[in-house]
Amino acid sequence: MESVVLNGRDLTLEALYEIAYHGRVVEIEPEAYQRMEDGRRVMMGLSREGKPIYGLNRGVGWNKDQTVLEEELELENQKIICAHALGFPPYNTDTEVRAMMAIRLNNMLIGASCASDELVNVYRDFLNHGITPRVPLRGSVGEADIVTITHMGMAFVGQGEVSYRGKIVPAKEAIEKEGIAPYRMRLKDAHTIMLSNCQGEAMTAILVREVEDLVKMSDLIFCLDYEGLNGNIESLREDVNALRGLPGQIECAARCRRYLEGSYLYEPHSDRALQDPLTFRGGFTITGSVVDAANYVKEYLRIQINSPSDNPCVMPGTDGLYVNSNFETTTLAVGVEMLTIALGHMSRAINYRMIKMSSSEFTHLPRYLAPRDGSSHGFAIVQDAFSSLEAENRMLVNPSSVDFFQVEGGIEAHASNLPLVASKAQRLTDNIRRLVGLEAMYAAQAVDLREGIRLGRFTREAYEVIREFIPKTAGLRGVCYDMNGSYELICSGKLLDRVGRS
């Protein structure tokens, strides 16, 4: 595979996904080593002139008043690593941790830190040799992700555990097998490792990708559900949505029109309602809100993964060194919470559509979409199951970025909780996978009961994929098996593979 060349300036989310999901090899732009050397020269020169420098000749956190001599730096690095690797299980996925390493590596190449060449090479080598540190999911307050990502530093020096060749093994074992020596930290390497928001940023990057795929699948299932309803699709018209002008709404409407190409819904029908409830008539506008929120998050995420979080920071190309708060990430955390709220609207809309599809007065189909031969009760009690998920989703939508208190002697008096915010959004997204799967189960059953209708070009493909995972509802078969199959359907990604991801 062609490698991804990192330079600190133009890492895209697409390239990050190649590294994280597909193991794409990374290279470091040769000029980056000169930028890092320049940064080290500035920082070490000022230190030797007697300038107090946080994390180098002074301690970190509440110990910022403690002097650290140059000959003590290696020991100080070891003490910092041992004192700060404090996260709680469970652990981030390998995909997320690979994204973390790529983001932090890219940040260091800007030249604003005092990173050593050897340190950036360790990040590169761990990525390219498939050695993935075990990073606890919980513990960071997001200013930076200190207590969690320091576990990467533990792995670099040969302590702790890593994921390697499909197994969890001691870090020392994995690096020895790959011919990598345990890293000996110098300068301010330990502080450089932990002063990053790469955990929250990586989790957010993975979240956005999964949300975008889920929205596409949800729009597809929504269209099939609309065919099962015999709905009025005038609201999908291109000119109608252009008149409003909302980008996400326009995008989702266009996608739905594409999914429904050739559908009978484009033809007049005597039994069709003048207009449908908003969760049908405006279903694509709700996923459009998710798209708009995701695009906001992506805009700020692209900035953060290509900018330094180091404190203090060297101004590249100058001899300036300044204290800062560039590890602040509240804008991104608030954006993720906005995305979470939009997902909450999407969750509620799916639930309401399923409730309405169970009503024979609304659909003119059998109650609970039960088979006409009376061989089963159909989806009689499924509402209880997804109602419980909806209650959990309402809990997950509640904001967390404002939940903090001051620590480290009152110095760290603000936090964003980005990893927690992203983790809740990921959990919510997984719950919505179940709901989208359930709507697929409802939609396919409604289409079967409607009989003789012509499906759209891509909704027909969707129906066929659904029936590969979920048979028609009939006879004495536990509905729970179909519910499980519907979740497997969404997790598999086969819907998008069949109809195309574009």
Side-chain angles (χ1 to χ4, degrees), residues 109-120:
L109 303 183
I110 296 167
S113 68
C114 194
S116 64
D117 292 355
E118 294 80 7
L119 178 60
V120 299

Side-chain angles (χ1 to χ4, degrees), residues 246-440:
L246 295 174
Q249 177 178 325
I250 290 172
E251 176 183 325
C252 292
R255 182 158 50 233
C256 290
R257 290 195 302 272
R258 177 72 169 158
Y259 288 153
L260 286 167
E261 282 181 6
S263 172
Y264 84 107
L265 295 184
Y266 283 102
E267 301 169 354
H269 197 287
S270 59
D271 294 335
R272 192 167 292 151
L274 174 62
Q275 61 179 29
D276 301 308
L278 286 174
T279 50
F280 282 96
R281 186 182 0 140
F284 63 93
T285 69
I286 298 168
T287 50
S289 297
V290 178
V291 169
D292 287 333
N295 285 337
Y296 175 94
V297 170
K298 287 165 66 176
E299 176 183 353
Y300 287 93
L301 187 58
R302 288 189 185 102
I303 293 172
Q304 286 195 196
I305 65 176
N306 288 291
S307 61
S309 53
D310 300 276
N311 172 45
C313 67
V314 176
M315 294 300 294
T318 77
D319 291 334
L321 177 74
Y322 304 104
V323 170
N324 65 80
S325 189
N326 284 343
F327 48 82
E328 180 56 64
T329 190
T330 300
T331 297
L332 185 58
V334 171
V336 175
E337 291 198 313
M338 176 175 65
L339 176 57
T340 303
I341 291 169
L343 287 167
H345 283 275
M346 178 177 163
S347 170
R348 183 65 65 90
I350 293 169
N351 283 314
Y352 274 135
R353 287 199 294 267
M354 289 190 289
I355 290 171
K356 291 180 182 301
M357 290 300 288
S358 293
S359 169
S360 57
E361 291 78 9
F362 178 69
T363 63
H364 307 296
L365 297 173
R367 182 180 297 167
Y368 298 127
L369 300 179
R372 296 185 187 278
D373 63 6
S375 60
S376 87
H377 288 307
F379 306 141
I381 310 299
V382 177
Q383 292 179 16
D384 286 28
F386 64 68
S387 177
S388 70
L389 273 186
E390 179 59 24
E392 183 177 330
N393 289 351
R394 290 197 299 274
M395 174 189 70
L396 293 170
V397 165
N398 289 330
S400 297
S401 64
V402 294
D403 294 333
F404 59 85
F405 52 81
Q406 62 182 16
V407 293
E408 294 294 334
I411 295 169
E412 296 181 11
H414 183 259
S416 71
N417 285 319
L418 177 59
L420 173 61
V421 170
S423 178
K424 292 198 306 118
Q426 288 178 335
R427 184 173 158 191
L428 173 62
T429 299
D430 192 56
N431 284 349
I432 297 176
R433 286 191 189 98
R434 292 191 179 275
L435 295 176
V436 172
L438 290 179
E439 186 173 18

